[in-house]
Structures are given as C-alpha cells and as structure tokens.
Amino acid sequence: MDFISLDFETATPQRDSPCEIGITVVRDRRIVETRSWLIKPLYYPNFNSFNIAVHGIRPADVKDQPDFAELWPQLKPYLENQLLIAHNASFDMSVLRKTLITYGIPLPEARYTCSLKFSKNIWKGMHKYDLKTLCNMHRIDFLHHRAASDADACARLSLKALDLTGTSSEAEFDVRMGSKISRV
C-alpha cells in the first residue's frame, strides 16, 4: 500500500503559519524517502514563544527560506492524488487547507486519514495516544516535533498498524483500521 505521511510545525497558533513541513513517501509498504523544508511563515518574524519551545525553530532559522507559495511547486507532486496520513490529521490538514486558502492556492486532489484515530481502534486501552507514547511502545526512535522525524515516525507507526490488521488497500481501510478516509 502506498501513502505519504506528513507533519507540520507552526510558528504561531494560527493555522496558516507553517514554519516546517516533513513528508515521508511509502511505496509498496516501504519507506523510500523522507524530506523536510523550512518555511518562512506569513507572520515572519513573529513566532510564538510556546511554539518555539515545542519545536525549537526560530525566526533566524527561516529568514532565508521560501514562503509556502514559493515552496508549493515542490510540495504539490508529493501530495496530489495521494493518500495522506498524519498523526492528529485534524491539525495537519487544517494547516494545509488554511495555508493554501491564505495564499489563494487551490486544494490538491488527495485523500487523508489519521493515525491517531486508527491507533485508538487498533491498540485499545492505552492512556495516551500521542505520537511519542505510541512510538515508545513500538520502539520507534525519532526526534519529536521536527517535521521530517515526525512524518517518518507516523509512517513507521502506520506500517505497523497496516501489518497488524492485514490491511492491503484503501478499500479495506474503514473496516480493518476502523478509520475513514476523507478528501482534502
């Protein structure tokens, strides 16, 4: 099964303030690529101190980076007509949607699902389902709150869930994973 896992880090609480995106490409159930890009957010140089404390990305780190509109031609081929998986997809998909709308860029044709939601159906009875807890349980090492590492961890967790449930196609996803696939 093929999919793209993705993760955003934001500069402020505003959903249209991405300062980093990470993408992991999975083809035939194998990770073939993980990339990240720093992004100069719309609100540059204004970063929220809480956000900096979470991910460590500062205004100086993105000073010479492209804004989202400049980066979109590189990102779109990764996302267009793909199944996207994010941990807490409601956040990441809202960052994608809001940012594209802010820049007047049409939404890509893509589908998405949430590894947080399907993890709750697959590994029942846990007290927490955040990415760090799940990755610790599955011995997946990663640097939390850096987009490439989070995207890679989400992909590895998703592959474990697919293997455990025997899910081999999007058609089986709802029944086997207990999580629906939506449109961006």
Side-chain angles (χ1 to χ4, degrees):
M1 193 166 146
D2 297 346
F3 63 90
I4 305 290
S5 61
L6 77 145
D7 182 75
F8 280 104
E9 302 299 333
T10 57
T12 70
Q14 284 75 25
R15 296 294 168 97
D16 59 350
S17 69
C19 59
E20 186 177 40
I21 183 173
I23 291 175
T24 295
V25 180
V26 176
R27 297 288 177 247
D28 296 320
R29 296 175 97 104
R30 287 188 14 249
I31 293 173
V32 297
E33 181 180 9
T34 297
R35 292 197 60 186
S36 67
W37 295 263
L38 288 171
I39 304 165
K40 187 175 188 176
L42 179 67
Y43 304 100
Y44 177 85
N46 299 317
F47 274 56
N48 182 282
S49 60
F50 175 79
N51 293 60
I52 292 172
V54 168
H55 52 59
I57 301 167
R58 300 178 171 280
D61 299 324
V62 300
K63 177 182 165 217
D64 298 320
Q65 299 302 316
D67 68 22
F68 195 84
E70 293 169 313
L71 192 57
W72 182 243
Q74 288 181 59
L75 297 175
K76 185 179 178 182
Y78 284 98
L79 306 179
E80 187 73 38
N81 296 313
Q82 300 296 318
L83 172 62
L84 310 175
I85 301 178
H87 201 77
N88 192 13
S90 63
F91 172 78
D92 294 288
M93 292 303 112
S94 69
V95 171
L96 179 62
R97 280 190 210 102
K98 179 70 173 156
T99 303
L100 289 168
I101 289 166
T102 295
Y103 283 99
I105 301 168
L107 297 176
E109 289 293 325
R111 301 155 322 282
Y112 75 92
T113 192
C114 180
S115 59
L116 173 65
K117 287 184 179 178
F118 63 67
S119 292
K120 289 179 179 181
N121 294 320
I122 294 167
W123 295 290
K124 295 184 186 295
M126 295 179 62
H127 290 95
K128 293 170 73 176
Y129 288 89
D130 59 277
L131 190 59
K132 184 176 180 179
T133 300
L134 288 162
C135 286
N136 284 342
M137 180 178 92
H138 292 288
R139 295 188 173 112
I140 298 169
D141 292 326
F142 74 117
L143 178 61
H144 199 25
H145 295 302
R146 287 310 303 255
S149 188
D150 283 2
D152 180 75
C154 177
R156 291 178 190 283
L157 180 67
S158 298
L159 287 167
K160 286 185 179 295
L162 291 168
D163 287 344
L164 184 64
T165 61
T167 305
S168 60
S169 70
E170 287 184 44
E172 302 171 316
F173 212 90
D174 290 4
V175 173
R176 292 183 180 257
M177 301 287 278
S179 182
K180 69 179 190 160
I181 294 175
S182 302
R183 290 218 161 281
V184 173

